[in-house]
Amino acid sequence: PHPLFKVRRFPLKTISRALRPNRISNKNWQFWLIIALPIIYAVIFAYVPMTGIVIAFQDYSLRKGPFGSRFVGLKHFEQFLLSPSSTKVIWNTLVIGFYSLLAGFPIPILLALGINESKLPRFSKTVQMVTYIPYFISTVVLVGMLMQMSDLRIGIINKFIGLFGIEPINFFGEPKLFRGLYVWSGIWQSAGYSAIIYIAALSGVSKELKEAAMVDGASRLQRIVHVDLPCIRPTIVTMLIFSVGGIISVGFDKVYLMQNDLNLAVSEVISTFVYKVGLVNSDYGFSTASGLFQSLVAFILLIFANWLAKRITETSLW
């Protein structure tokens, strides 16, 4: 052949290496080590405990273990759904869950929009910091603060309403006040943290769109409605789907700390019910069935919310 068109010959080893599938390079061992730690954590503490679901279908005995206990099928599920207290427990859980969703979901969005529209950087950063700090307060401290502030004798809330001639109110002893106290204290604690996601989404809104809206004479409210909200709609829908899936997953710790004999009629939820039946009364099969029922309902709500969001907004998790 012509010298300008010499054929380059590759050794067989080079060709076989090129055709061989890519392998994990030893040079990136730090990267794979970082990934391995959370994977190992998830397997040990999330997937391995799933084998305990079998307890929900057994008359579980600590002495016999999950492989030696007697299989009873759906007995515990029927016992939970047909017991007189289960209806009240499920109702309380759903009411608190829907109340938290309706009251708490829009507030982080409004907070993020307000911070984003602020023209004073120091003011917006101060507001964001003040609303973000309560998230780091532990649940035990938060409930202790509520008890001190609403105390009948020394509570600052009763002291304040006493100035207007109103009699002191036992906030933790009034069943009708429990849900509002639970939900709004949770909103105060988590609104700033939840707003971070929407603030990040708003930072990606095109400035050209806003400038075009201003040129067309759109007011600030109109820019929010017609520019900002449509741009962050996928984020809002995604967070809404997760929130709907968590309606029935009302947390245990805060409810249990706020619970007493006076408000037990409205404060007993599935998580506290499972704790009392499972650990206090040592009925592990019944408590596991109750917890599995809660997880299944949460999964169904998540699937339904995802399907509905996909039909209406064409935005979904999958």
Side-chain angles (χ1 to χ4, degrees):
H2 195 274
L4 294 178
F5 300 97
K6 290 183 178 179
V7 178
R8 188 176 179 184
R9 300 179 182 277
F10 293 94
L12 291 176
K13 290 184 178 180
T14 304
I15 297 174
S16 61
R17 288 175 184 176
L19 297 176
R20 195 179 302 169
N22 294 330
R23 295 183 177 180
I24 299 174
S25 176
N26 293 330
K27 298 179 181 179
N28 300 327
W29 67 269
Q30 299 94 337
F31 172 75
W32 296 107
L33 179 62
I34 293 173
I35 291 181
L37 293 177
I39 291 177
I40 293 172
Y41 177 86
V43 169
I44 294 176
F45 295 100
Y47 290 98
V48 173
M50 286 185 182
T51 57
I53 293 175
V54 69
I55 298 175
F57 306 94
Q58 296 176 334
D59 274 335
Y60 181 72
S61 171
L62 288 174
R63 181 176 60 84
K64 296 179 181 179
F67 300 103
S69 300
R70 186 169 63 92
F71 183 79
V72 295
L74 300 177
K75 170 188 172 183
H76 297 305
F77 292 93
E78 295 176 358
Q79 183 182 353
F80 171 71
L81 295 175
L82 299 178
S83 63
S85 58
S86 64
T87 304
K88 181 178 67 175
V89 168
I90 296 172
W91 173 253
N92 290 339
T93 306
L94 290 175
V95 169
I96 293 177
F98 275 109
Y99 190 0
S100 301
L101 176 64
L102 295 177
F105 184 76
I107 290 180
I109 301 174
L110 297 175
L111 179 61
L113 290 171
I115 293 174
N116 186 66
E117 287 297 318
S118 176
K119 302 300 181 182
L120 303 174
R122 288 188 178 180
F123 175 77
S124 59
K125 290 180 180 179
T126 302
V127 172
Q128 188 175 356
M129 181 186 66
V130 170
T131 55
Y132 183 67
I133 287 176
Y135 180 77
F136 296 98
I137 300 176
S138 69
T139 305
V140 177
V141 174
L142 175 64
V143 175
M145 291 169 57
L146 291 175
M147 289 181 175
Q148 291 294 325
M149 294 171 64
S150 61
D151 188 83
L152 284 170
R153 295 182 296 104
I154 62 174
I156 187 173
I157 298 177
N158 282 314
K159 290 286 186 181
F160 177 74
I161 64 177
L163 298 175
F164 301 93
I166 303 176
E167 293 294 327
I169 301 173
N170 185 8
F171 288 90
F172 279 80
E174 289 287 341
K176 60 183 180 181
L177 298 177
F178 173 83
R179 290 166 180 159
L181 196 63
Y182 174 88
V183 171
W184 289 104
S185 62
I187 292 173
W188 171 78
Q189 186 179 21
S190 61
Y193 179 80
S194 301
I196 293 176
I197 298 175
Y198 302 109
I199 293 173
L202 287 168
S203 65
V205 176
S206 174
K207 293 183 179 179
E208 287 76 10
L209 289 176
K210 288 190 173 183
E211 292 173 356
M214 292 176 66
V215 171
D216 291 339
S219 64
R220 177 174 293 184
L221 181 60
Q222 289 174 330
R223 293 197 301 269
I224 291 174
V225 173
H226 298 288
V227 178
D228 289 336
L229 289 178
C231 289
I232 66 171
R233 184 175 63 181
T235 304
I236 295 175
V237 172
T238 301
M239 298 304 296
L240 180 61
I241 293 172
F242 284 121
S243 299
V244 170
I247 284 176
I248 201 169
S249 303
V250 178
F252 161 79
D253 46 0
K254 187 177 179 182
V255 174
Y256 187 74
L257 290 169
M258 296 177 64
Q259 200 174 76
N260 55 54
D261 294 335
L262 297 176
N263 61 27
L264 191 62
V266 297
S267 64
E268 188 75 289
V269 295
I270 295 178
S271 56
T272 57
F273 181 72
V274 168
Y275 166 75
K276 294 175 182 178
V277 174
L279 296 182
V280 178
N281 297 335
S282 301
D283 192 348
Y284 302 107
F286 181 78
S287 64
T288 305
S290 305
L292 182 59
F293 169 80
Q294 183 180 13
S295 300
L296 289 175
V297 173
F299 180 72
I300 293 172
L301 288 174
L302 181 66
I303 296 295
F304 174 75
N306 185 78
W307 171 81
L308 189 63
K310 192 173 183 179
R311 288 286 300 271
I312 297 175
T313 65
E314 298 182 357
T315 301
S316 61
L317 298 179
W318 60 83

